[in-house]
Amino acid sequence: MTGETLVPRRRARVRVPVRIVGAGLLGSSIGHALTKNGVDVSLADSSPAQLRLAVDYGAGRPAAEGDDPALIVVCTPPDVVADMVAAELERFPKAVVTDVASVKLEPLRELRDRGVDLTNYIGSHPMAGRERGGAISARADLFVGRPWVICRDGETPAEALALVEDLALDLEAAPIEMTPEEHDRSVALMSHVPQVVASLLAARFAEAPEEALALAGQGVRDTTRIAHSAPELWVQILTANADPVLEQLDLLALDLETITDALRDPDRRGSRRTTADAIRAGNVGVERLPGKHGQRRRFETIVVMVDDVSGQLGRLFGDLGDLNVNVEDLRLEHSPGAPLGLAEISVDPATMQHAVDGLTSRGWRIAGTSD
């Protein structure tokens, strides 16, 4: 024996054959995670090239005649989800079928209108993704700590619900039950409208002068990060969830009109208060967002200047580890025209001063704190 501590492997809940239809980012990521657990994962995709790539990366094996999956996960674009779910239910009538589409009500209505037996169908949606899609971007840890919405109804068999919940838990996601209506209203506010806002804001940069773009900092990068998303996919999502998205956009338009009117005449009585109230309302809203592991704790930030030299971030994290300071979040910003960057580190308020003092004593330059 070497004396090292052995960490027992967590027992997988899903121990049945799983078929994944759609070997893109989400499908391949699910495949990677299940394959690591020893699950027999078969992959199907309308694109032979995408399928071969997902198999080459280890997300599963190609589907074959004679497969008898107990769980099927449909990971296709939203506009064909209903078609795929219906086809899979017909082909494998004993299997539980779920999907990961970001809109739940429209596919469900379409399936009901067709008269499809939905006893073994449970819609679901993992709130996870990346700006880049495809099997090449897939990761086994994509769902860790992320909400996974499960939309059951009164006719859902308990064992079917348990299987989909087990899938989410094996991928280390956090299952949440919602109705399709609750889900679509929630994602309109938390995902779909932010995508529209980020895209519209980023579009303003298309013809911006270079001297303006040179001033871009972390704030604008954070605000527009998701503007890289694929237009083809988002046309489908926004169209399928148009009513809840429109409701939120109309409310946002009223807010924009209010602050626009205030800024047109900033010396008018009440204009400054209107502007301040808008910013303060944002403070209140962002503080309600759950952070790491769903916590609603408030963290303090330390901004550390990091030389643009190989190994500096590793040394910074090593020093924080030596100081027994846990990093709750990290953002990096490069300084234009300077060989350094700024590391904005979120820490527990109780450890902030200890971290500042310890880092300073080790030669790190502190550019600022949030206190």
Side-chain angles (χ1 to χ4, degrees):
M1 296 291 291
T2 62
E4 65 184 294
T5 302
L6 298 179
V7 179
R9 182 168 180 168
R10 182 173 53 85
R11 181 180 174 85
R13 296 172 176 84
V14 176
R15 303 171 64 84
V16 296
V18 176
R19 171 178 165 89
I20 297 175
V21 182
L25 172 64
L26 295 183
S28 292
S29 294
I30 293 170
H32 283 297
L34 292 177
T35 299
K36 284 177 60 178
N37 286 345
V39 176
D40 175 27
V41 176
S42 60
L43 302 173
D45 197 287
S46 59
S47 167
Q50 182 85 304
L51 177 59
R52 286 194 294 267
L53 188 61
V55 171
D56 283 351
Y57 273 104
R61 61 171 176 82
E65 290 297 327
D67 284 344
D68 187 23
L71 174 63
I72 300 170
V73 188
V74 174
C75 305
T76 58
D79 62 345
V80 296
V81 162
D83 292 336
M84 293 298 101
V85 168
E88 295 299 310
L89 286 169
E90 181 177 3
R91 183 175 179 185
F92 301 100
K94 296 181 180 179
V96 174
V97 178
T98 188
D99 73 284
V100 297
S102 57
V103 178
K104 305 286 23 132
L105 188 57
E106 184 65 24
L108 181 62
R109 284 174 174 165
E110 191 173 338
L111 289 165
R112 284 174 174 167
D113 289 345
R114 297 183 190 183
V116 176
D117 182 357
L118 300 177
T119 303
N120 284 341
Y121 167 66
I122 303 174
S124 70
H125 178 210
M127 298 296 294
R130 304 181 70 185
E131 293 78 42
R132 304 298 182 187
I136 195 171
S137 300
R139 302 171 41 156
D141 63 352
L142 185 67
F143 309 99
V144 174
R146 301 292 186 178
W148 190 306
V149 180
I150 300 174
C151 298
R152 64 177 299 186
D153 58 38
E155 299 178 359
T156 302
E159 60 272 18
L161 176 64
L163 188 53
V164 177
E165 288 179 340
D166 285 346
L167 171 67
L169 291 169
D170 272 357
L171 273 55
E172 299 184 62
I176 298 173
E177 284 195 24
M178 288 184 173
T179 66
E181 293 84 357
E182 289 170 338
H183 169 273
D184 286 3
R185 287 195 302 269
S186 298
V187 294
L189 177 61
M190 291 290 111
S191 175
H192 301 171
V193 168
Q195 176 64 57
V196 174
V197 172
S199 296
L200 292 176
L201 177 58
R204 306 304 306 161
F205 309 153
E207 297 181 3
E210 291 296 328
E211 55 268 26
L213 297 176
L215 302 181
Q218 195 61 41
V220 72
R221 296 181 193 279
D222 287 346
T223 308
T224 59
R225 178 181 58 82
I226 57 175
H228 278 294
S229 300
E232 300 85 355
L233 174 62
W234 276 97
V235 167
Q236 296 178 36
I237 293 172
L238 294 172
T239 301
N241 203 29
D243 287 345
V245 171
L246 277 172
E247 180 181 348
Q248 294 299 326
L249 287 176
D250 285 341
L251 293 172
L252 182 60
L254 289 174
D255 292 339
L256 288 171
E257 183 178 357
T258 298
I259 195 167
T260 298
D261 288 344
L263 293 176
R264 289 190 194 284
D265 187 2
D267 292 327
R268 187 182 64 221
R269 182 186 177 97
S271 290
R272 286 176 169 78
R273 177 174 178 174
T274 297
T275 303
D277 285 347
I279 303 300
R280 186 183 296 112
N283 299 158
V284 173
V286 78
E287 286 176 0
R288 293 195 63 206
L289 294 176
K292 182 179 177 183
H293 308 311
Q295 302 174 62
R296 285 190 167 84
R297 296 168 55 199
R298 179 175 176 270
F299 298 112
E300 301 288 355
T301 58
I302 306 169
V303 182
V304 184
M305 300 176 68
V306 180
D307 292 332
D308 192 9
V309 178
S310 177
Q312 288 299 292
L313 273 180
R315 185 169 73 87
L316 175 60
F317 274 93
D319 285 346
L320 287 166
D322 291 342
L323 293 166
N324 201 28
V325 174
N326 188 46
V327 176
E328 303 292 345
D329 198 3
L330 169 70
R331 295 192 303 173
L332 292 175
E333 179 178 356
H334 289 284
S335 299
L340 57 86
L342 300 175
E344 184 177 305
I345 301 167
S346 297
V347 300
D348 189 294
T351 66
M352 189 188 72
Q353 192 58 52
H354 170 64
V356 170
D357 293 342
L359 290 175
T360 301
S361 69
R362 285 165 168 77
W364 292 101
R365 292 172 291 171
I366 306 300
T369 63
S370 59
D371 64 341

